[in-house]
Amino acid sequence: MSEDAVDRAWAGLTAQRPFPPPDGPCIALNMVMSVDGRTAIDGRVGALTGPIDQGILRRLRASADAVLVGASTVRAEGYGALLRDAEQPLLAVVSRSLAFAPDAPFLQDTGSPLVLLTTGEHELPDTPRELHSIVAGTLAGAIDILRAEHGVRTIVCEGGASLASSLFDQGLVDEVFVTLSPVLVHDDDQPTIARGEGAVQSLTLIGHAAEASFVFNRYDVGR
Ligand SMILES: NC(=O)c1ccc[n+]([C@@H]2O[C@H](COP(=O)([O-])OP(=O)(O)OC[C@H]3O[C@@H](n4cnc5c(N)ncnc54)[C@H](OP(=O)(O)O)[C@@H]3O)[C@@H](O)[C@H]2O)c1
């Protein structure tokens, strides 16, 4: 992969507005989807993403104070170290059940702080790494505590669709980075970017790039 291609894509995404945006705390959703709108192939994201998309993901992680992710995504994708050879953002995992395999990669010592955002109904998992928990009745409440207790301003949410829907439902998403992968999945069982029955939302394109048949878009949600 050419780092030049990542530089060009990042430049297209940030020409109009830098990331993190200068005007205050922000939650940005970052996901990749197929041309027919699916965000996984057989339950995994690997065949959808590509080297330049991964480069953008790393730049977003490096710009974030916290990476926010849903429990099913962590179970499917593992979530070891977020960045290699760089200071890592905090990993914040949202889970009601707190049901994770003891050897789950994200529970091993990966060198970044770990916070579980949960509802307090279940016991925290055993882990050799330092673990913080936030118990709150709503995601908005949990994120307020995350900001106050852990000094978090910029949050990059990496999905999946259930978590994204919860964030949209509570009006918490400021920006959406979506990569269009040159793939047709042809599988109704794979999730889209958000589930649910929320109201229609219009977005404003604030960044754009195309490299190697992938299209990178950045939208302002305008909340
Ligand atoms: N293409 C992409 O960019 C991308 C990104 C991410 C994921 N994915 C794919 O998407 C799939 C997973 O997505 P998903 O929609 O099924 O799941 P998800 O959003 O990753 O996780 C859902 C789980 O998160 C917890 N959760 C979500 N909202 C919550 C809330 N408001 N309060 C408490 N807990 C909450 C619950 O955990 P508990 O079950 O522990 O209670 C829930 O079952 C995987 O196939 C993954 O590979 C693709």
Side-chain angles (χ1 to χ4, degrees):
M1 186 247 321
S2 143
E3 202 57 32
D4 287 353
V6 179
D7 285 343
R8 285 194 299 272
W10 184 251
L13 290 169
T14 56
Q16 189 175 329
R17 181 189 297 171
F19 191 86
D23 51 354
C26 151
I27 300 183
L29 178 68
N30 176 45
M31 294 183 74
V32 56
M33 71 175 186
S34 65
V35 171
D36 54 351
R38 303 294 162 185
T39 58
I41 297 177
D42 295 331
R44 296 291 307 273
V45 75
L48 277 178
T49 183
I52 303 170
D53 184 50
Q54 287 292 298
I56 297 299
L57 175 115
R58 283 194 296 275
R59 300 240 174 146
L60 287 168
R61 286 180 175 179
S63 306
D65 302 311
V67 167
L68 181 70
V69 67
S72 300
T73 295
V74 165
R75 290 182 195 112
E77 307 291 344
Y79 271 79
L82 293 173
L83 291 170
R84 303 200 186 282
D85 307 324
E87 192 180 335
Q88 299 193 60
L90 176 156
L91 176 63
V93 177
V94 184
S95 173
R96 195 171 288 111
S97 72
L98 294 177
F100 298 105
D103 60 350
F106 87 105
L107 289 176
Q108 312 317 306
D109 191 3
T110 60
S112 66
L114 172 64
V115 181
L116 294 178
L117 274 49
T118 191
T119 49
E121 297 154 77
H122 299 277
E123 284 201 11
L124 295 176
D126 274 341
T127 168
R129 73 189 286 183
E130 190 180 343
L131 173 66
H132 305 270
S133 66
I134 291 174
V135 174
T138 64
L139 208 44
I143 288 171
D144 282 347
I145 297 170
L146 183 69
R147 291 195 184 289
E149 292 187 353
H150 296 275
V152 166
R153 280 172 64 83
T154 305
I155 298 174
V156 171
C157 175
E158 297 185 354
S162 303
L163 175 58
S165 297
S166 296
L167 293 171
F168 281 121
D169 286 348
Q170 295 178 44
L172 296 172
V173 182
D174 299 287
E175 295 191 8
V176 178
F177 288 78
V178 59
T179 299
L180 197 61
S181 170
V183 177
L184 288 164
V185 172
H186 300 299
D187 183 352
D188 288 343
D189 293 335
Q190 302 303 311
T192 58
I193 282 196
R195 308 174 197 272
E197 299 169 353
V200 173
Q201 282 179 278
S202 297
L203 310 180
T204 304
L205 187 70
I206 56 166
H208 173 79
E211 292 286 338
S213 292
F214 283 73
V215 181
F216 303 89
N217 290 308
R218 178 184 181 189
Y219 297 93
D220 187 302
V221 176
R223 69 184 176 99

